[in-house]
Amino acid sequence: MPHPSIIVSGVEVTPLCDAVGPMGAAIRRPLAEMFAGSVLQEEPWVLHFHCYLLRDAAGRLTLVDTGIGGADSPAASWAPVPGTLAGELAAAGVTPAEIGTVILTHLHSDHASGAVADGRPVFENARYVLQQAEADAAEGPMREIVSCLKSQLHAVEGDAEVAPGVHVRFAPGHTPGHQIARVGDVAITGDLVLHPVQLADPSVRYLYDDDQETAARTRAEVLAALKAERAILATAHFSEPFVRL
Ligand SMILES: [Zn+2]
Ligand SMILES: [Zn+2]
């Protein structure tokens, strides 16, 4: 448990650090290429891979993202597998069966691969919340994950309250159905932002945004709104999980 929890509006928000490491050579590019429009100097970019556990006052548990998965994950070509989500959950005193809701910010291999294992949902009692647009666009291994979820899949369109006090907000661009999660002052932002340089300048593009125009527009709009309320970002890939805007 490398990162401490915070409590907001009576909900404990615990970062689960699934992995730490550089992006693998298969997709790594110079930083100035990955973040076009930035003034980043070249240096090693060490990513953290964070999921988040929400525990409300009634003990209800929501997991946001499921990490990079096992050694055979589709993320294995570029991310430091296997992920340690199971150990992080155990350290937080939680078993997979206790999770009531899983929110998948999007279907990329470092966020969704831990959702299923051996052809079955890992979180056997959970509803898995995904945007319909994301489910519709899923291909290859991500399509298989969606199929494995079967009746546990809870597809939503746009903004929705998915557990008491826990909302998802549609934030497309990185992928067609990318969403962020909100609880109290905290915004769990998935891949809305990849690198701190995009907080200073949301117009900085990320090479692996599916639709860079839409992603930049969404990033600017969402970050402006979050700044206005002095929200706390809970990021997937920064080395410090929480950033107060
Ligand atoms: Zn971390
Ligand atoms: Zn990611």
Side-chain angles (χ1 to χ4, degrees):
M1 303 286 291
H3 307 298
S5 305
I6 60 172
I7 294 179
V8 290
S9 307
V11 177
E12 184 183 33
V13 182
T14 303
L16 305 171
C17 198
D18 187 40
V20 178
M23 191 172 268
I27 63 168
R28 185 167 59 223
R29 298 287 179 275
L31 280 181
E33 239 176 81
M34 291 222 269
F35 295 99
S38 75
V39 291
L40 286 172
Q41 300 297 308
E42 190 52 25
E43 58 171 0
W45 183 28
V46 177
L47 291 89
H48 287 227
F49 295 81
H50 296 143
C51 309
Y52 289 87
L53 177 70
L54 314 180
R55 189 196 314 252
D56 73 11
R60 283 180 290 249
L61 295 166
T62 296
L63 177 66
V64 183
D65 281 338
T66 60
I68 61 180
D72 59 350
S73 159
S77 65
W78 70 274
V81 294
T84 58
L85 178 63
E88 288 279 283
L89 274 176
V94 171
T95 66
E98 292 174 309
I99 303 285
T101 304
V102 173
I103 296 170
L104 294 172
T105 59
H106 64 297
L107 293 174
H108 273 172
S109 58
D110 56 326
H111 295 258
S113 294
V116 304
D118 303 322
R120 277 196 301 275
V122 169
F123 305 95
E124 64 221 60
N125 298 314
R127 291 190 320 154
Y128 284 71
V129 178
L130 187 64
Q131 289 287 324
Q132 184 68 54
E134 193 74 356
D136 292 344
E139 292 173 355
M142 296 299 116
R143 174 93 260 151
E144 284 171 38
I145 287 174
V146 171
S147 309
C148 281
L149 296 177
K150 295 197 180 84
S151 62
Q152 286 178 248
L153 179 65
H154 182 73
V156 296
E157 291 185 54
D159 301 351
E161 183 172 26
V162 297
V166 180
H167 296 255
V168 293
R169 304 266 186 248
F170 186 51
H174 180 68
T175 59
H178 185 274
Q179 61 185 354
I180 67 171
R182 291 299 311 264
V183 61
D185 285 347
V186 170
I188 301 158
T189 48
D191 282 351
L192 179 77
V193 287
L194 272 289
H195 189 287
V197 72
Q198 295 176 304
L199 295 185
D201 183 357
S203 72
V204 169
R205 306 287 202 262
Y206 176 56
L207 180 62
Y208 297 118
D209 285 335
D210 281 358
D211 178 339
Q212 296 192 9
E213 279 302 316
T214 304
R217 192 169 57 241
T218 296
R219 190 160 47 243
E221 285 171 9
V222 173
L223 287 177
L226 293 175
K227 254 180 202 154
E229 56 168 290
R230 300 214 61 228
I232 300 167
L233 296 195
T235 66
H237 297 302
F238 293 10
S239 47
E240 285 299 326
F242 298 116
V243 184
R244 168 76 78 169
L245 290 178

